[in-house]
Amino acid sequence: AQKVTQAQTEISVVEKEDVTLDCVYETRDTTYYLFWYKQPPSGELVFLIRRNSFDEQNEISGRYSWNFQKSTSSFNFTITASQVVDSAVYFCALSEEGNRDDKIIFGKGTRLHILP
Amino acid sequence: DGGITQSPKYLFRKEGQNVTLSCEQNLNHDAMYWYRQDPGQGLRLIYYSQIVNDFQKGDIAEGYSVSREKKESFPLTVTSAQKNPTAFYLCASSLGGGLSPEAFFGQGTRLTVV
């Protein structure tokens, strides 16, 4: 069965600090996708990134970077030089291609507070 | 504008009443989803549909029903059998079929039982 664990329920950092959000997943499939979403106070989930299981290259997009390690089943998300606007709930998610059912399972989320 | 529209944004229901939440998308996506969000619980999958006239139960389908008569629409009915329906409901869609599996979300409906 597929499972996503975000062990950090809530994190607070001071603005300009770097912060890493952890995500550990479980799957029996060899082909799968991992995602990160941001949920600002408005409630709508915003898609940030997708990674497939064959692509372990780290990705950087501005202040955001993602570290995918199959050996530890982790897909961690780092925000560099955090800003108050980064305050939100962040979700990691998993979809197994092998099931061919398009099912997407989410972790419980990490609430990030960036303090001015 | 392409996107997913959920309505209404806020909904109040009396105990024992059924209520239907609307979800419409104009992204030409095949797959659609309904999630429920409670504080500290993250997003839990209620139902999902990969194609018109077909849908599957998610992890917490009891007390809910859906239909998928049109590609663009995936309404969710919260029935009186759902014992604790107060929550934030999110609808999403994706291309499906492994083509582009990321889901895109609507703005959500906050349901309160009074």
Side-chain angles (χ1 to χ4, degrees), chain A residues 33 35 37 39 42-47 49-50 89 91 95 97 99-109, chain B residues 31 33 35 37 40-43 45 48 50 59 88 90 94 96-107:
Chain A
Y33 300 95
F35 314 90
Y37 286 83
Q39 186 179 40
S42 62
E44 181 176 349
L45 264 75
V46 177
F47 168 71
I49 190 172
R50 175 191 79 199
V89 181
F91 291 96
S95 178
E97 188 187 77
N99 285 344
R100 301 188 182 279
D101 64 3
D102 300 316
K103 188 175 176 180
I104 303 175
I105 297 298
F106 284 78
K108 293 190 175 182
Chain B
Y33 311 81
Y35 290 89
Q37 186 176 19
Q41 292 289 328
L43 274 68
L45 184 62
Y48 61 107
Q50 293 177 270
D59 300 317
F88 187 52
L90 284 157
S94 72
L99 297 173
S100 185
E102 59 270 21
F104 296 92
F105 283 79
Q107 291 189 318

Side-chain angles (χ1 to χ4, degrees), chain B residues 6-19:
Chain B
Q6 289 186 244
S7 61
K9 191 171 182 180
Y10 299 96
L11 189 56
F12 296 88
R13 186 194 97 172
K14 289 185 179 179
E15 274 194 49
Q17 287 182 339
N18 291 355
V19 64

Side-chain angles (χ1 to χ4, degrees), chain B residues 2 5 17-20 22 29 31 33 42 48 53-54 61-62 66 79 83 92-93 99 103 108:
Chain B
T5 302
Q17 287 182 339
N18 291 355
V19 64
T20 298
S22 170
H29 284 172
Y33 311 81
Y48 61 107
N53 293 322
D54 187 42
E62 186 174 348
V66 293
T79 74
K83 297 305 177 189
S93 71
L99 297 173

Side-chain angles (χ1 to χ4, degrees), chain B residues 16-81:
Chain B
Q17 287 182 339
N18 291 355
V19 64
T20 298
L21 282 59
S22 170
C23 179
E24 303 277 332
Q25 54 98 0
N26 60 4
L27 300 168
N28 200 33
H29 284 172
D30 283 316
M32 296 188 74
Y33 311 81
W34 274 105
Y35 290 89
R36 169 179 171 145
Q37 186 176 19
D38 296 283
Q41 292 289 328
L43 274 68
R44 291 184 290 170
L45 184 62
I46 305 172
Y47 269 98
Y48 61 107
S49 167
Q50 293 177 270
I51 199 167
V52 174
N53 293 322
D54 187 42
F55 47 83
Q56 290 81 39
K57 292 183 179 180
D59 300 317
I60 56 164
E62 186 174 348
Y64 300 97
S65 66
V66 293
S67 63
R68 187 85 187 276
E69 297 176 2
K70 298 186 300 181
K71 188 175 186 177
E72 304 80 22
S73 178
F74 191 41
L76 173 74
T77 297
V78 185
T79 74
S80 56

Side-chain angles (χ1 to χ4, degrees), chain A residues 2 13 17 19-21 25-26 30 32 36 46 57 66 74 93 98 100 106 109-111 114:
Chain A
Q2 56 189 125
V13 300
E17 286 185 355
V19 58
T20 295
L21 309 181
Y25 62 92
E26 292 178 30
T30 56
Y32 52 89
W36 274 97
V46 177
Q57 282 192 350
W66 292 269
S74 65
R100 301 188 182 279
F106 284 78
T110 297
R111 183 175 296 276
I114 308 298

Side-chain angles (χ1 to χ4, degrees), chain A:
Chain A
Q2 56 189 125
K3 185 178 177 181
V4 177
T5 302
Q6 295 180 255
Q8 304 150 308
T9 305
E10 203 158 344
I11 300 175
S12 294
V13 300
V14 177
E15 195 174 18
K16 296 183 184 177
E17 286 185 355
D18 299 346
V19 58
T20 295
L21 309 181
D22 297 332
C23 173
V24 174
Y25 62 92
E26 292 178 30
T27 177
R28 293 178 183 173
D29 227 357
T30 56
T31 304
Y32 52 89
Y33 300 95
L34 295 163
F35 314 90
W36 274 97
Y37 286 83
K38 174 182 181 180
Q39 186 179 40
S42 62
E44 181 176 349
L45 264 75
V46 177
F47 168 71
L48 296 178
I49 190 172
R50 175 191 79 199
R51 256 297 172 258
N52 72 49
S53 51
F54 296 110
D55 185 0
E56 284 194 75
Q57 282 192 350
N58 291 335
E59 174 128 355
I60 298 175
S61 176
R63 295 183 298 105
Y64 295 173
S65 63
W66 292 269
N67 182 2
F68 175 30
Q69 290 193 340
K70 287 177 74 172
S71 60
T72 55
S73 297
S74 65
F75 185 43
N76 296 339
F77 173 30
T78 296
I79 302 175
T80 304
S82 60
Q83 300 176 1
V84 172
V85 294
D86 296 328
S87 296
V89 181
Y90 290 85
F91 291 96
C92 182
L94 166 70
S95 178
E96 295 173 332
E97 188 187 77
N99 285 344
R100 301 188 182 279
D101 64 3
D102 300 316
K103 188 175 176 180
I104 303 175
I105 297 298
F106 284 78
K108 293 190 175 182
T110 297
R111 183 175 296 276
L112 178 63
H113 301 277
I114 308 298
L115 308 172

